[in-house]
Amino acid sequence: MMPADAQSDDDRADRARQKAQEARLSKPWVTPRGWRYWSAVNNSEVGRWYTATSFLFFLFAGVLALLMRTQLAVPENDFLSAGTYNQIFTLHGSVMMFLFGVPIFEAFSIMILPQMLGARDLPFPRLSAYGYWSFLIGGVFVCGSIFFGVAPEGGWFMYPPLTTTYQEGLGADIWLLGLSFIEVASLAAAVELIVGVLKTRPPGMRINLIPLYAWYILVVAGMILFAFPPLIAGDLLFELERAFDWPFFDPARGGDPLLWQHLFWIFGHPEVYIIFLPAIALVAMIVPTFAQRPIIGYSWIVLAAVGTGFISFGLWVHHMYTTGLPNVSLAFFSAASEAVAIPTGVQLFCFLATAVAGRFVRSVPMLFVTGALAIFVLGGLTGVMVAIAPFDFQAHDTYFVVAHLHYVLIGGMLFPVAAGLYYFYPMATGKLLAQKPGYWAFWLMFFGFNVTFLPMHLTGLLGMPRRVFTYPADIGFDVLNLTSSIGAFIFAAGVVVLVLEVVRPKTKQPYAKRNPWGAGTLEWLGEMPGKPWGIRSIPSIKGRYPLWDQPNLMQDVDAGRFYLPDAEEGKRETLITTTIDADPIQCLRVPGPTFVTLWAAIFTGGAFIFATYKWYFAAGISAVLALVTVLIWLWTGTAKIPEKRSKEAGLGVTLPLYASGSTSVGWWAMFITMIGDMSAFASLIFGYFFFWTVHEDFPPDPASGPGLFWPLIAVGLLLGAWLLTVLARCWNRHDRPMAFHVGLGLAVLLNVAGTMALLAGPYLSGLDPTRHVYPATVWVLVLWAVIHFGVGLVMQLYCIARRWAGRMSADHDIDIQNVALYWHFMAITAVLTVAVIAGFPMVA
Amino acid sequence: MAQRMESEPDSESEALPERRETLWLLALSPMLWMLYFLVSYATAAIWCAKVVGRDGSLEGARIAIGVYTVLTLVGIGIVTWRGFRKHSFGTATVPHDFDTPADRHRFLGFATVLLGGLSVVATLYVALAIVFIGSCT
């Protein structure tokens, strides 16, 4: 046995070593001070801003709701004019869906996911910051429009021809361009979160052990990739019609407003689940903590998350039951709408079983969870009713639907988010929220909610249509509407209590103890208040609830006994692991604070916002500045060649500092982005074939199309550009710089020539996109492809410059690997575009 | 369901049948359902728009969708059977939460089986549409 003084010497030395490590670790992770604070990109800062901003948008949209309820409190009220009322309900829906429902999940995830996975940060912190700034700028732009009386007024789904023919002004453009800009931010977050879940897990956290929250986020981010692009494609068609008179939705020239409904709802229905699933994911984390036992039915909940994710894409037509589609089509979607109730129900039973089998500790988060489940189940039941087409024929566009969607969204999303706010508040700030205001908030909200929305079922069944600014007296709506309005203010009082408790200064309140709820998952490892580095050392995981399963885990993590306990080189670092078994494969250097993301967002925003006012020159300048800023960001901040090949990451493991190809996070991000891109492209192709099914003569006559000659030349040249880009990647790998430069240079020329040839087809055959929907559809496919080849051209030139500047080498080839991957998708784009515009007229 | 094992034999992980595992098998059944759903919808839509018109009979499309249904169910069945084989590898039972390659293997198998079951139900639901509806009206 060691003598006592020798042991204490060892302890002292160990403590000194830990202190030195902590000092080195804190340097690169320090949060900028003063005005530079806004250059922070760390997930905890960006996550906090994101959460606060989306809550502000929620409060704004809530005030709009109160204005509506005031107007509807009594019949024939003149508190608001019809026009203002239209703007208010449109903005209420749009803001709640686009600026609160979806972003709050991104915000929460950016904040808590790295902590949950024991990572120091997400793999692309600057992308998160860019997404946040884009969201803020776009959100303020859209919301601000109401103060100038120019807000959109066509409802949150903007149906044409109402919004193309019958409404003047900029409202629809603000909606289309402002929200498209925000959708880009959502896609950025989706890429970040998928790569985060798959690649930044702690060693040992195999796919069967990941927190259920991460499963849900993986599914939801995947859904965003397939749901948002159809809307972006729809927005493109819509804006081309509004700005340049391309007749996609104008029946007089062959267009069809139903195409917008299809594209909108292919997005819109999955979006409901994109909002619901992450909120339920919060429940899946909260219930085991307060039951003090592992979740019952982990695999069943994975089934529910993945199953819902898929089936939710087969529901979109249930918003279109009254558009006159064949009954058999309605029946397919009715069947899928009923099927989705199965996985939804499964997860609720798992939560109930866990709560009943465990200890069920009483607390504010658990109260909100219980309220959420009660409200959501009621909303789910009316959901099963409206999924049946004959019932929907009666209830469509009435207050019954308003009641249903609020039961689903408030029960399925707002109450779980309130639970999550109470639960995770100490993790974000180090302080607990008080219990008493929480109980008050809950009961006011729960009671107020039901007083508001329960009567609406009846109002709807009595025949009151939604979106009317007033109603006559004595036809049975008076008492019900007054009750709803009183309930809305009680509900709002509950929200106010909650907000006051959150913003109440807590300087005198002591910090909460560590892991204040006694949870089992990694996000509660942190100190109170949290350190900027997130986690002291990245642990090795052996179960689903490491804090319950692994004794002394907290002490060992704090003592730096796991991975990356130090930052010897003064860099921000986190671990990259394999997707299935989470074996460590790379030590990733993540970038630090910068203003470049803010500038990139400002210029990108400018391009969208100026275009709203048809100031195309200013929009063009802004777009060029955005491109330049992004290039500066990439050039100075990405794919940096490290000073050494590898480093000791702790526990005797040595890891490379650089990885390219399919093991690198950048490659994954490119792959995932392009999947989203392909789904937008597929939506445009869907548009072409949609018009083919609704018209006898589409395409009208092969002679009037782009012909075969130029499109075939184009596809040949573009495939050549693709092949040379892929070969250039190989030549770079084999360190043949001359072959690389000549090959890629030639690829640039073929790309330019191919793009010109593609344009030549419709241009030389005189297709006029404003004349009929056929030329418009051909042109939009060609333009989509041309823009992509333009981006591909910038990428090719970028790689040539990188190699010349010595920032890319045979071993350090992230750039060309990712660009070659992009070009695989360009080959698909070229072939499909030509097959549709030149090939299909031959077989049709 | 059998009583959960508290520990598992060490030798199991040595004998794992696959070296590299992916998430694709897990998602395959719902993907098959989705493909089935889209192809059935497109078949009915094109049949009614281009072949028989809005007042025509659905007969030909019904036969085609019936064939799709059988093919989809067979496909999901094969995937689910493979999932079940993975789930029942070795001797450990659910909840498959050991930190071992073998339990990860079993978990992926079990989740595949569950998703297969859901996909079968969802396929049968959709197939009911052509049982009850016989025209393009």
Side-chain angles (χ1 to χ4, degrees):
Chain A
M1 201 165 158
M2 206 184 285
D5 52 347
Q7 196 174 1
S8 65
D9 278 352
D10 278 359
D11 283 351
R12 267 198 296 276
D14 196 40
R15 272 200 296 276
R17 179 187 55 81
Q18 286 179 30
K19 282 263 179 244
Q21 282 184 343
E22 282 176 14
R24 281 194 292 271
L25 199 54
S26 59
K27 260 191 197 156
W29 290 98
V30 71
T31 309
R33 289 172 188 280
W35 62 275
R36 287 187 175 278
Y37 173 71
W38 301 104
S39 69
V41 297
N42 188 256
N43 77 293
S44 46
E45 263 70 39
V46 175
R48 267 200 291 260
W49 304 339
Y50 224 139
T51 307
T53 309
S54 39
F55 261 104
L56 286 176
F57 287 133
F58 161 71
L59 295 177
F60 171 75
V63 170
L64 297 181
L66 291 180
L67 292 175
M68 281 192 279
R69 282 319 321 170
T70 307
Q71 165 67 18
L72 292 176
V74 290
E76 290 163 28
N77 199 358
D78 59 358
F79 175 68
L80 298 174
S81 70
T84 311
Y85 188 86
N86 290 348
Q87 294 189 14
I88 286 179
F89 76 67
T90 302
L91 218 46
H92 168 75
S94 306
V95 171
M96 284 295 191
M97 295 305 241
F98 291 97
L99 300 181
F100 178 60
V102 177
I104 191 71
F105 122 75
E106 292 157 0
F108 264 26
S109 302
I110 286 173
M111 188 156 61
I112 64 180
L113 192 68
Q115 259 80 349
M116 224 171 242
L117 300 179
R120 292 250 161 77
D121 207 331
L122 287 167
F124 312 106
R126 290 184 174 181
L127 187 64
S128 303
Y130 172 73
Y132 167 72
W133 292 117
S134 299
F135 164 65
L136 177 71
I137 295 167
V140 169
F141 172 62
V142 172
C143 292
S145 60
I146 190 129
F147 299 108
F148 302 93
V150 291
E153 49 187 2
W156 85 280
F157 35 75
M158 283 283 124
Y159 280 172
L162 177 67
T163 44
T164 46
T165 314
Y166 300 99
Q167 287 181 347
E168 309 269 307
L170 289 174
D173 302 301
I174 290 172
W175 190 95
L176 288 165
L177 290 167
L179 295 179
S180 294
F181 179 41
I182 291 163
E183 285 150 25
V184 174
S186 288
L187 284 170
V191 171
E192 174 84 307
L193 295 172
I194 293 176
V195 182
V197 170
L198 291 179
K199 303 297 286 181
T200 63
R201 303 204 303 271
M205 191 186 269
R206 296 175 197 278
I207 201 81
N208 57 328
L209 304 181
I210 66 177
L212 283 169
Y213 188 84
W215 267 111
Y216 279 104
I217 293 310
L218 189 61
V219 170
V220 169
M223 289 169 72
I224 286 183
L225 286 187
F226 291 98
F228 275 66
L231 181 62
I232 292 176
D235 287 350
L236 175 70
L237 301 184
F238 207 140
E239 195 50 37
L240 284 172
E241 169 147 352
R242 283 188 59 90
F244 304 109
D245 196 29
W246 292 22
F248 295 107
F249 310 122
D250 175 12
R253 287 175 287 167
D256 192 334
L258 269 194
L259 176 62
W260 169 258
Q261 293 202 21
H262 277 292
L263 291 176
F264 184 87
W265 289 115
I266 290 174
F267 147 80
H269 202 84
E271 199 219 10
V272 175
Y273 289 90
I274 289 170
I275 290 174
F276 165 68
L277 289 177
I280 276 303
L282 293 171
V283 175
M285 300 309 285
I286 292 170
V287 168
T289 297
F290 290 105
Q292 287 289 297
R293 59 151 297 135
I295 195 98
I296 290 178
Y298 178 96
S299 308
W300 290 85
I301 293 180
V302 173
L303 150 90
V306 178
T308 311
F310 276 96
I311 296 180
S312 69
F313 279 86
L315 314 184
W316 83 83
V317 167
H318 78 207
H319 298 269
M320 300 165 61
Y321 279 161
T322 55
T323 55
L325 293 173
N327 280 335
V328 66
S329 301
L330 305 190
F332 287 142
F333 285 89
S334 189
S337 305
E338 301 299 343
V340 81
I342 298 170
T344 309
V346 163
Q347 60 203 341
L348 300 190
F349 282 113
C350 290
F351 300 146
L352 288 177
T354 309
V356 171
R359 286 189 10 221
F360 202 96
V361 181
R362 273 194 53 174
S363 64
V364 176
M366 208 51 194
L367 193 59
F368 271 105
V369 165
T370 318
L373 295 185
I375 294 173
F376 181 78
V377 166
L378 275 172
L381 289 175
T382 51
V384 171
M385 291 163 76
V386 286
I388 296 168
F391 181 85
D392 184 74
F393 295 158
Q394 303 301 316
H396 186 78
D397 261 348
T398 70
Y399 264 84
F400 189 87
V401 174
V402 179
H404 158 69
L405 75 93
H406 283 88
Y407 265 85
V408 175
L409 287 172
I410 293 183
M413 186 270 183
L414 186 66
F415 273 65
V417 163
L421 188 69
Y422 247 81
Y423 182 71
F424 285 111
Y425 191 81
M427 204 195 87
T429 67
K431 310 257 172 111
L432 281 161
L433 291 171
Q435 296 282 305
K436 213 169 176 183
Y439 289 124
W440 270 99
F442 171 78
W443 285 111
L444 283 170
M445 284 169 73
F446 187 76
F447 180 72
F449 170 81
N450 283 296
V451 172
T452 311
F453 292 101
L454 200 61
M456 278 188 197
H457 293 101
L458 207 52
T459 324
L461 290 178
L462 287 173
M464 179 158 163
R466 63 197 287 201
R467 296 175 171 173
V468 289
F469 83 109
T470 192
Y471 51 91
D474 302 326
I475 54 169
F477 301 158
D478 312 23
V479 177
L480 292 168
N481 271 297
L482 185 62
T483 312
S484 289
S485 294
I486 293 169
F489 281 90
I490 300 173
F491 181 63
V495 175
V496 169
V497 172
L498 186 68
V499 170
L500 285 178
E501 175 52 24
V502 169
V503 299
R504 169 178 65 85
K506 300 177 188 66
T507 39
K508 287 186 185 157
Q509 184 180 327
Y511 285 109
K513 64 174 184 178
R514 275 177 94 169
N515 192 6
W517 310 110
T521 37
L522 284 183
E523 71 272 24
W524 295 103
L525 258 179
E527 293 167 50
M528 297 281 161
K531 291 280 197 292
W533 60 58
I535 192 161
R536 176 66 183 81
S537 60
I538 298 172
S540 189
I541 293 307
K542 303 202 180 311
R544 287 176 186 160
Y545 296 90
L547 283 172
W548 292 343
D549 301 341
Q550 290 170 248
N552 296 326
L553 182 71
M554 206 178 258
Q555 291 85 330
D556 289 344
V557 165
D558 284 354
R561 298 202 181 101
F562 289 109
Y563 298 95
L564 296 180
D566 206 337
E568 297 94 335
E569 300 91 6
K571 307 268 193 219
R572 295 186 172 199
E573 291 167 334
T574 195
L575 270 191
I576 298 297
T577 51
T578 53
T579 46
I580 300 287
D581 279 335
D583 295 323
I585 49 169
Q586 189 197 351
C587 169
L588 179 75
R589 299 244 166 106
V590 289
T594 177
F595 278 112
V596 77
T597 51
L598 175 57
W599 285 112
I602 289 172
F603 292 135
T604 318
F608 281 95
I609 291 168
F610 291 135
T612 309
Y613 299 98
K614 302 199 168 36
W615 300 337
Y616 294 116
F617 184 71
I621 301 266
S622 201
V624 170
L625 287 173
L627 176 67
V628 171
T629 319
V630 169
L631 285 175
I632 293 172
W633 164 7
L634 294 174
W635 187 272
T636 56
T638 62
K640 283 184 180 169
I641 299 179
E643 74 287 353
K644 57 183 176 183
R645 281 189 174 274
S646 57
K647 73 173 274 178
E648 216 273 314
L651 299 178
V653 173
T654 301
L655 293 174
L657 286 164
Y658 190 101
S660 65
S662 62
T663 51
S664 84
V665 287
W667 187 92
W668 277 82
M670 176 64 84
F671 183 77
I672 294 164
T673 308
M674 294 317 292
I675 296 283
D677 183 77
M678 282 289 123
S679 72
F681 181 54
S683 307
L684 294 179
I685 292 180
F686 168 79
Y688 186 100
F689 288 101
F690 173 83
F691 287 123
W692 170 67
T693 59
V694 298
H695 288 299
E696 291 293 326
D697 55 344
F698 189 100
D701 184 273
S704 73
L708 264 182
F709 177 74
W710 286 109
L712 284 179
I713 298 273
V715 77
L717 292 168
L718 290 163
L719 287 178
W722 160 66
L723 200 63
L724 279 170
T725 309
V726 175
L727 281 172
R729 182 191 66 188
C730 301
W731 288 325
N732 180 65
R733 241 306 131 92
H734 294 110
D735 209 8
R736 294 170 60 193
M738 183 57 97
F740 167 81
H741 280 125
V742 171
L744 206 51
L746 213 54
V748 166
L749 294 178
L750 289 184
N751 180 9
V752 173
T755 305
M756 303 301 274
L758 193 59
L759 283 167
Y763 181 76
L764 294 178
S765 54
L767 286 183
D768 174 6
T770 60
R771 196 178 50 78
H772 187 261
V773 77
Y774 172 69
T777 313
V778 171
W779 266 113
V780 80
L781 283 169
V782 168
L783 278 185
W784 179 267
V786 165
I787 290 168
H788 280 74
F789 299 131
V791 174
L793 177 71
V794 174
M795 289 184 180
Q796 289 166 328
L797 294 172
Y798 180 82
C799 284
I800 291 174
R802 290 285 279 189
R803 174 97 207 194
W804 242 315
R807 287 173 181 259
M808 190 171 86
S809 66
D811 294 334
H812 301 100
D813 61 344
I814 288 178
D815 300 308
I816 185 69
Q817 288 276 1
N818 294 353
V819 167
L821 177 62
Y822 177 86
W823 269 92
H824 291 325
F825 288 94
M826 287 310 96
I828 298 172
T829 304
V831 170
L832 284 180
T833 305
V834 169
V836 171
I837 64 166
F840 188 70
M842 299 282 116
V843 293
Chain B
M1 209 172 277
Q3 185 68 39
R4 191 203 159 194
M5 289 195 45
E6 286 306 316
S7 62
E8 60 168 342
D10 290 338
S11 57
E12 261 187 17
S13 51
E14 306 296 314
L16 263 183
E18 293 148 67
R19 281 164 60 87
R20 270 182 66 110
E21 203 142 26
T22 68
L23 287 174
W24 291 114
L25 190 70
L26 183 78
L28 201 54
S29 293
M31 277 180 184
L32 284 172
W33 171 80
M34 187 173 265
L35 186 70
Y36 163 73
F37 181 81
L38 287 176
V39 172
S40 300
Y41 169 58
T43 303
I46 293 171
W47 181 267
C48 294
K50 292 280 176 188
V51 183
V52 294
R54 278 303 295 273
D55 298 321
S57 159
L58 208 56
E59 216 42 58
R62 279 172 110 175
I63 293 167
I65 294 169
V67 173
Y68 303 158
T69 309
V70 173
L71 289 177
T72 308
L73 290 174
V74 169
I76 296 172
I78 293 169
V79 174
T80 310
W81 172 244
R82 285 203 55 187
F84 184 75
R85 293 268 308 275
K86 288 172 75 170
H87 161 59
S88 39
F89 170 77
T91 49
T93 53
V94 285
H96 300 324
D97 60 352
F98 293 117
D99 179 28
T100 60
D103 237 24
R104 175 260 294 146
H105 183 76
R106 281 186 283 264
F107 162 76
L108 286 175
F110 188 54
T112 306
V113 171
L114 294 180
L115 279 161
L118 176 66
S119 305
V120 166
V121 174
T123 304
L124 292 176
Y125 272 29
V126 172
L128 283 177
I130 51 152
V131 172
F132 291 113
I133 295 179
S135 83
C136 286
T137 317

